[in-house]
Amino acid sequence: MTLVNGDLIADLEARNLIHDSTDREYLRAQVAEGPTGVYYGCDPTADSLHVGNLIGLVVLRRFQDAGHRAIALAGGATGMVGDPGGRSEERNLLDEETLTYNVAKIKEQLGRIVDLTDEQRGTLVDNRDWTHPITILEFLRDVGKHVTVNQMLARESIKVRINSEHGISFTEFSYMLLQANDYLWLHDHLGCTIQIGGSDQWGNIISGVDLIRRKRQAHVHAFSWPLLTAADGTKLGKTTGARVWLDPAKTSPYQFRQHWMQTADDDVEAQLLTFSLRPVDEIRAVAARHAEAPQRRLGQKTLADDMVTLVHGAAAATAANEAADLLFSKDPTGASEVAFATLAGEIPHSRMRASELDDTVGVLVATELAQSNGDARRTLAQHAVYANGVQLGEKDQLSDQKLLHGRYLLLRKGKKSHHLVEIDR
């Protein structure tokens, strides 16, 4: 792992991944001293993590690659309460069965990014395991006693909700106490000395640092990164901003790739620094080459390749790339069968019998590439229809075109309208 000046904190700083932090030099010394536990938490309020969680998972991966223990926390208990940060109203509470299912799904996604095969290198924990046994009296005595209401009211996320139309329930008000207790438990049982999270979590994170100092007289550390926002400035998450999921059943690898391909030229370097595991110097070299010829989209392609590979694996990245190339290639004949299968899930797709291809006009109408028989004939006369890359005229028949991989016929009208026909064998 190549770091800026061999210093993980300096590397994170160069990537603009530290927004707020406890004593920076003390944090740097702790990281340099040797392996320690680093924790990032997310509530399993859905059965998939999303691109907003990806920063935390990638930062965990960076710490793991540098020899530290990555601790991912699925908030089965806090998910029952709901974090008020970044929200205008209280979220719906989930039952045990749903939370258990969500945690299991999240573990699958997380395990593709952070190595969970060796518990000393990486582990997933659920805060229900230590929160459920605590009685309300024990919690008030062991946690609530050490936190003043003044401190809680001073947190920005609490102030925003108190002054909002919906206000804040006592349930959500207590969220930061539960999260503080999580850090205490992880510190006591897993040797965790660093908590990380988005800047909207900073108040909750600091509550844990303060609780450990008061109860254990120990100094622990924390830092946050700048909040990832959607194009409209809203927090990028499950219920705000664009929904880009890590579960391939919700956001396919192809759609995931297209998300990164839509990155603005001005944002490419920052996005690569934030998300890519490439060394900083290599990323800056890619950004410089991108700036020389933005139309080649080298930066977006590098970002998309890196992220699909990280989240879904190399095979999925290859298939997504091939499917994208297939849509815009003048000659699709070299595309793999996997690329066509991937494309079938992304663009309009029909199954037909081979005999139906004798009626080219009928096929264009059936696939909605033409609105009527007359429209289909005019489109063919204008040579605006392509079949597997071959430009068709008004006398050409689809039945004369060679099927790719013995069954696929990719139709295109103009530059942007596509339909994939699969011939039943």
Side-chain angles (χ1 to χ4, degrees), residues 152-360:
M152 298 174 73
L153 290 174
R155 304 304 186 202
E156 187 63 29
S157 61
I158 299 297
K159 287 193 288 187
V160 169
R161 285 295 301 278
I162 286 177
N163 295 322
S164 71
E165 174 188 353
H166 301 280
I168 184 172
S169 69
F170 179 77
T171 302
E172 282 194 314
F173 186 62
S174 65
Y175 184 97
M176 72 169 62
L177 299 181
L178 291 169
Q179 186 166 325
N181 188 56
D182 289 342
Y183 198 176
L184 175 64
W185 192 93
L186 293 171
H187 175 262
D188 289 348
H189 295 84
L190 298 181
C192 181
T193 64
I194 302 173
Q195 183 181 0
I196 60 176
S199 57
D200 62 325
Q201 285 287 308
W202 186 241
N204 294 338
I205 292 171
I206 286 298
S207 295
V209 173
D210 289 343
L211 180 63
I212 293 170
R213 177 177 56 82
R214 291 172 184 272
K215 292 207 66 172
R216 301 291 183 262
Q217 290 74 54
H219 292 285
V220 294
H221 313 279
F223 70 85
S224 69
W225 46 81
L227 197 62
L228 187 65
T229 57
D232 62 2
T234 58
K235 177 183 174 182
L236 195 62
K238 296 183 288 296
T239 55
T240 57
R243 292 178 178 85
V244 181
W245 303 94
L246 304 193
D247 183 345
K250 289 179 174 286
T251 299
S252 71
Y254 175 85
Q255 293 165 343
F256 194 70
R257 178 187 187 277
Q258 294 309 102
H259 165 76
W260 302 102
M261 287 297 296
Q262 292 166 14
T263 303
D265 290 329
D266 291 343
D267 296 334
V268 163
E269 182 173 3
Q271 294 281 288
L272 279 166
L273 287 169
T274 297
F275 291 105
S276 175
L277 295 176
R278 295 171 187 258
V280 169
D281 287 346
E282 184 179 338
I283 288 171
R284 287 178 174 155
V286 169
R289 289 170 57 201
H290 173 84
E292 292 172 359
Q295 70 279 5
R296 293 177 50 210
R297 302 178 65 74
L298 172 65
Q300 286 92 342
K301 289 177 181 177
T302 302
L303 178 62
D305 285 346
D306 285 1
M307 300 322 299
V308 180
T309 299
L310 179 66
V311 174
H312 297 296
T318 298
N321 283 345
E322 282 195 358
D325 289 342
L326 184 53
L327 279 185
F328 304 108
S329 173
K330 292 183 179 179
D331 180 11
T333 56
S336 71
E337 191 165 2
V338 172
F340 279 98
T342 300
L343 197 60
E346 307 297 340
I347 65 170
H349 170 236
S350 299
R351 287 182 175 274
M352 294 185 180
R353 299 185 303 275
S355 59
E356 293 180 72
L357 299 183
D358 292 333
D359 181 6
T360 301

Side-chain angles (χ1 to χ4, degrees), residues 8-9 26-39 60 63-64 66-71 119-122 183 186-187 190-195 219-221:
L8 178 56
I9 298 302
Y26 196 9
L27 170 64
R28 195 186 310 274
Q30 173 72 69
V31 172
E33 187 176 307
T36 188
V38 183
Y39 127 66
L60 274 185
F63 271 92
Q64 187 176 68
H68 300 281
R69 187 182 192 184
I71 303 169
E119 287 197 357
Q120 294 308 307
R121 295 192 68 244
Y183 198 176
L186 293 171
H187 175 262
L190 298 181
C192 181
T193 64
I194 302 173
Q195 183 181 0
H219 292 285
V220 294
H221 313 279

